Amino acid sequence: MISIAVLGYGTVGSGVVEVIEKNKEVIDKRAGKKIRVKYILDLRDFPGDPYADRVVHDINVILQDPEVTIICETMGGNEPAFTYSMQALKAGKSVCTSNKELVANHGAELIRTAKENYCNYLFEASVGGGIPIIRPLNAALTAERIELISGILNGTTNYILTRMDQEGCDFETSLKEAQEKGYAERNPEADVEGYDACRKIAILASLMTGKTVRYEEIYTEGITKITREDFLYAHKMNLFIKLLASVREADGGYYAMVAPFLIGENSPLHSVNDVFNAIFIRGNTLGDSMYYGRGAGKLPTASAVVSDVIDCAKHGRTHIVCLWDEEKLPLCSIDGAYRRFFVRAQKGCEAKARELFGEIELVDAGLENEFGFVTAALTEKEFAEKSGQLSGFISRIRVEEA
């Protein structure tokens, strides 16, 4: 029998215990051994909970117990999660986590420590929740040179944009509805400003390149400036507004960014709605593939954590190779990224828009005192310079090419 410990008995931690108990027969069969939760670490007590007798408050109880060989870190945040994870790995105990913040900050260091101590640091649940994506990158796609990863990586923002698109709601109304349904936190900044998606694409970019991509260096823009009017134009163009997180190989380097994009029906991401997430990958020989499902939630995320537990149980003291070095990868400035832009501008400056941008496609959404247009492809730097000279400029959204 394999004894495990769960660090943090919140939403995901309690889900891990629930999944292991609910699916124990199939889990035991696939792991080849019985897997049981011996400890639950939390600052709180849980009187009346069926697992209250397994709750401990001291990490050393877990670290010093030789029977515990796998730990599920579902605490969130950097500390004490980082310290506890390092202590566990140095003790030869494998760690499975859903903590995207910790993985984005210290993934390479934790993987190296696991290798040095003949155990594993696995983090399938840190990016796509219940969507398998880390394991495909580390196993099924290892023969590929990945050229592009682009995805809808945050369910909260996708839900908000879906409501704005389909119901004509404004941003604030859609956000409030998301909060009422439990899809958004009381403080939604990490989601709506794109920070959550940024950490996730940093993890995927690191696995894609084999080096450390720092999320602080990824250009990030959220959805707070998207309006109902933007969707009127999108409908006219038969396009969809999605918050995309992407990393792309180009010109011998890598571009990474998080921002709202207009995408068409030729993109497989256009039909990903509500709280669902999807990750699109392009390989140099495989071509295109996509991974779709619930990117968050108690049981989907917990299921991904438990899948890592099973992997650890099957491999024992054998380290599972994960190519992610601590060497930092410098990203290319997005100034050189080349694309089209959709622009909203005040009426009366059409001639100036043509003078600055050349051939443009006009878009009439029936709004008074403004018009829209789509530029030809140009670099981000060129667009910033030209749009800065357009006195009637209102806003812009990037257009994603297939």
Side-chain angles (χ1 to χ4, degrees):
M1 186 174 77
I2 292 180
S3 295
I4 75 169
V6 177
L7 310 188
Y9 201 45
T11 300
V12 178
S14 61
V16 167
V17 177
E18 184 177 339
V19 169
I20 289 174
E21 181 60 29
K22 186 175 183 178
N23 293 344
K24 60 185 174 185
E25 289 184 8
V26 67
I27 289 170
D28 292 349
K29 185 179 293 184
R30 289 171 179 168
K33 300 174 184 177
K34 288 185 178 180
I35 294 177
R36 297 294 181 265
V37 177
K38 185 171 184 178
Y39 299 112
I40 298 168
L41 180 75
D42 206 287
L43 293 173
R44 303 161 292 175
D45 288 308
F46 298 87
D49 187 278
Y51 306 101
D53 61 328
R54 304 181 203 186
V55 175
V56 296
H57 307 301
D58 183 358
I59 185 65
N60 290 306
V61 173
I62 296 167
L63 295 175
Q64 294 171 10
D65 188 335
E67 290 186 354
V68 175
T69 56
I70 303 171
I71 289 175
C72 300
E73 186 274 296
T74 58
M75 304 174 74
N78 272 303
E79 287 293 353
F82 174 66
T83 297
Y84 291 173
S85 296
M86 286 296 286
Q87 289 174 330
L89 294 171
K90 288 178 179 177
K93 301 177 189 293
S94 291
V95 176
C96 308
T97 185
S98 59
N99 190 342
K100 57 186 169 287
E101 184 176 353
L102 180 59
V103 177
N105 277 314
H106 300 288
E109 181 182 359
L110 289 160
I111 291 166
R112 174 177 55 78
T113 303
K115 182 179 181 180
E116 291 171 351
N117 291 276
Y118 305 98
C119 56
N120 286 289
Y121 184 73
L122 303 184
F123 44 95
E124 182 64 71
S126 67
V127 172
I131 304 172
I133 187 61
I134 305 300
R135 198 170 284 106
L137 282 173
N138 278 338
L141 299 177
T142 49
E144 291 294 306
R145 191 184 81 244
I146 305 299
E147 298 173 340
L148 168 69
I149 299 177
S150 181
I152 296 169
L153 299 181
N154 183 272
T156 300
T157 50
N158 204 41
Y159 177 84
I160 291 170
L161 292 175
T162 299
R163 304 312 291 165
M164 294 177 73
D165 182 16
Q166 298 179 356
E167 304 298 328
C169 304
D170 60 21
F171 172 78
E172 293 297 336
T173 301
S174 301
L175 171 59
K176 184 178 179 183
E177 185 179 328
Q179 290 171 321
E180 290 171 350
K181 292 193 172 184
Y183 298 149
E185 301 289 343
R186 183 175 299 176
N187 178 2
E189 181 183 19
D191 293 322
V192 299
E193 295 293 353
Y195 305 147
D196 175 80
C198 176
R199 286 185 171 89
K200 293 174 179 177
I201 198 63
I203 294 169
L204 295 180
S206 297
L207 294 173
M208 170 180 170
T209 63
K211 298 180 181 179
T212 294
V213 175
R214 298 298 304 171
Y215 67 86
E216 300 95 329
E217 297 179 11
I218 296 176
Y219 175 88
T220 301
E221 185 180 312
I223 65 168
T224 56
K225 295 179 182 178
I226 300 296
T227 67
R228 282 187 293 191
E229 289 76 15
D230 292 325
F231 282 97
L232 293 177
Y233 284 106
H235 293 163
K236 273 288 182 181
M237 295 183 285
N238 197 29
L239 298 177
F240 305 83
I241 301 174
K242 300 293 184 182
L243 183 71
L244 299 185
S246 62
V247 55
R248 180 190 304 268
E249 182 184 9
D251 307 321
Y254 293 90
Y255 293 93
M257 71 184 306
V258 176
F261 277 84
L262 283 158
I263 64 176
E265 291 182 338
N266 57 342
S267 167
L269 296 171
H270 88 272
S271 60
V272 179
N273 292 318
D274 295 312
V275 295
F276 282 84
N277 288 187
I279 302 160
F280 174 85
I281 294 179
R282 177 169 292 152
N284 68 321
T285 58
L286 171 68
D288 298 343
S289 59
M290 192 170 84
Y291 306 81
Y292 169 85
R294 292 190 177 273
K298 176 178 178 176
L299 294 181
T301 305
S303 175
V305 175
V306 177
S307 75
D308 280 345
V309 171
I310 294 170
D311 231 6
C312 288
K314 291 195 297 187
H315 284 85
R317 300 287 290 176
T318 301
H319 178 73
I320 301 168
V321 174
C322 179
L323 299 180
W324 180 352
D325 294 335
E326 290 172 79
E327 179 187 352
K328 193 173 82 169
L329 177 74
L331 294 172
C332 299
S333 168
I334 67 161
D335 285 350
Y338 200 67
R339 59 174 54 88
R340 295 187 299 153
F341 295 82
F342 165 72
V343 180
R344 287 170 55 197
Q346 295 172 359
K347 279 187 176 175
C349 64
E350 292 91 339
K352 184 64 173 177
R354 287 192 175 90
E355 177 188 330
L356 288 167
F357 293 99
E359 190 69 29
I360 58 175
E361 300 174 25
L362 293 178
V363 184
D364 182 4
L367 296 172
E368 291 185 14
N369 303 319
E370 69 170 78
F371 71 103
F373 65 90
V374 179
T375 72
L378 68 167
T379 67
E380 290 268 353
K381 184 178 181 180
E382 289 171 331
F383 176 80
E385 291 171 349
K386 293 177 185 294
S387 61
Q389 300 174 54
L390 185 63
S391 59
F393 177 84
I394 297 173
S395 64
R396 60 96 180 91
I397 303 177
R398 297 168 176 88
V399 179
E400 177 74 346
E401 308 297 341

